Amino acid sequence: MPDLTPNMGLEKPLDNETADIQVINNNMDKIDTAFADSAGKSQEIIDLIGKNNAPAGTTTLFARLTQLANYVDTLESLLGLNTDPAGTSSIFARLAQISAYVDTLEAQLGTSADGSTATGNLHQKVADLKYHLGNITDGPNPTGSVNSKLVDIKNAITASTDWSKQKPRILAQRGSVNPNSSIDIINITGKGYLLGFYYYGSLYYVYPGIIIDGVQTLSEVGGYTSGTLDTIFNGPLRFNNSLRIYLNQPYTGQGLNYYVTVTYSLD
């Protein structure tokens, strides 16, 4: 019995067999059929691959490659180069623009070590403003800092006031403030000067407030030391319509004891 080839099953006569024309013809037919099938499949592959000049699309491999190449070209155009000047034409140009904005912002902000100047960066202008404002401890000076000028104005008002026409008064009051409530120390209508407000506390955190002519002049600053005399305000300070001084206790729990002294005068 003849041997068969492993792939196409062609018959191979044995050495002791006589060649048969029909067997040879059958083998030829098998080869021809296999070749035809292979040629058809090769054409299908060729059709799927397409040609290297195919337009962008999804019909063939080369069309898809062209499409991907176009995508890459578009992406490269959008990205640009890291040497692109600042602008909006590419991502690198936009990054350069942002970097320039940051550099400008840093230059305008400056650093905390910069000296004061009215025409410099922000830190310099703040330092200049702070310089002109001065400190609360500045002495009177009509050409000095804002605080110095205010002290000078205050001294001028004090010096120009005819205190002989004033009616100085002293109010000393002791009591307690209930939790979550406030109490008026003085609430008068008229014209005069607030000369001083002093507080001797027996408990911590009573919040005094001063309202002059309907305007909050002292906004409930708390934390006065227990058992010591604290100067809350040292005048004179003019009021033309009304003066109200009060204590506020915003906490729950026990009431807070107080002892205050107010000096003032009426026209």
Side-chain angles (χ1 to χ4, degrees):
M1 187 173 182
D3 293 332
L4 300 178
T5 59
N7 294 314
M8 299 180 63
L10 302 177
E11 294 184 16
K12 298 191 301 180
L14 298 177
D15 293 340
N16 58 356
E17 291 181 336
T18 302
D20 187 344
I21 295 299
Q22 187 60 46
V23 171
I24 295 174
N25 290 338
N26 291 340
N27 286 341
M28 293 295 181
D29 290 339
K30 288 180 180 180
I31 293 172
D32 185 69
T33 301
F35 179 80
D37 292 341
S38 176
K41 292 178 180 179
S42 297
Q43 187 60 47
E44 290 178 4
I45 294 174
I46 292 172
D47 291 341
L48 290 174
I49 293 175
K51 296 181 179 181
N52 61 0
N53 61 352
T58 59
T59 55
T60 65
L61 178 59
F62 273 111
R64 176 65 79 179
L65 290 174
T66 302
Q67 186 182 56
L68 292 175
N70 291 342
Y71 288 157
V72 171
D73 290 342
T74 301
L75 182 60
E76 286 181 341
S77 177
L78 292 174
L79 284 175
L81 301 173
N82 59 2
T83 56
D84 287 349
T88 58
S89 59
S90 67
I91 293 178
F92 273 109
R94 177 65 78 177
L95 289 174
Q97 185 183 57
I98 294 174
S99 178
Y101 288 157
V102 171
D103 290 342
T104 301
L105 182 61
E106 286 181 342
Q108 291 177 346
L109 286 175
T111 66
S112 58
D114 291 341
S116 62
T117 172
T119 58
N121 60 48
L122 180 60
H123 273 97
Q124 290 174 321
K125 291 178 180 177
V126 170
D128 184 71
L129 179 62
K130 182 179 178 181
Y131 168 77
H132 285 292
L133 286 176
N135 298 307
I136 195 170
T137 57
D138 289 348
N141 186 347
T143 60
S145 66
V146 173
N147 274 294
S148 295
K149 292 176 181 178
L150 289 176
V151 174
D152 187 72
I153 292 172
K154 176 183 173 182
N155 291 347
I157 292 175
T158 302
S160 63
T161 300
D162 186 356
W163 295 105
S164 64
K165 296 181 181 180
Q166 298 294 312
K167 301 173 183 178
R169 306 187 182 200
I170 299 177
L171 171 66
Q173 183 171 312
R174 183 191 299 272
S176 63
V177 187
N178 293 325
N180 293 314
S181 64
S182 63
I183 185 171
D184 282 347
I185 302 301
I186 187 172
N187 192 352
I188 58 176
T189 301
K191 297 181 179 182
Y193 289 90
L194 173 61
L195 304 177
F197 179 23
Y198 312 96
Y199 172 78
Y200 187 89
S202 59
L203 286 176
Y204 201 60
Y205 281 120
V206 171
Y207 292 77
I210 301 175
I211 299 177
I212 292 180
D213 296 336
V215 178
Q216 189 86 37
T217 306
L218 178 68
S219 300
E220 301 186 13
V221 179
Y224 295 98
T225 306
S226 174
T228 62
L229 180 65
D230 290 289
T231 299
I232 300 175
F233 176 81
N234 192 16
L237 186 61
R238 179 70 177 175
F239 59 91
N240 294 309
N241 296 304
S242 61
L243 168 65
R244 180 189 172 209
I245 299 176
Y246 65 93
L247 297 177
N248 185 31
Q249 202 287 78
Y251 302 107
T252 59
Q254 63 180 352
L256 299 180
N257 299 324
Y258 68 89
Y259 175 42
V260 297
T261 301
V262 178
T263 57
Y264 65 100
S265 65
L266 295 175
D267 291 355

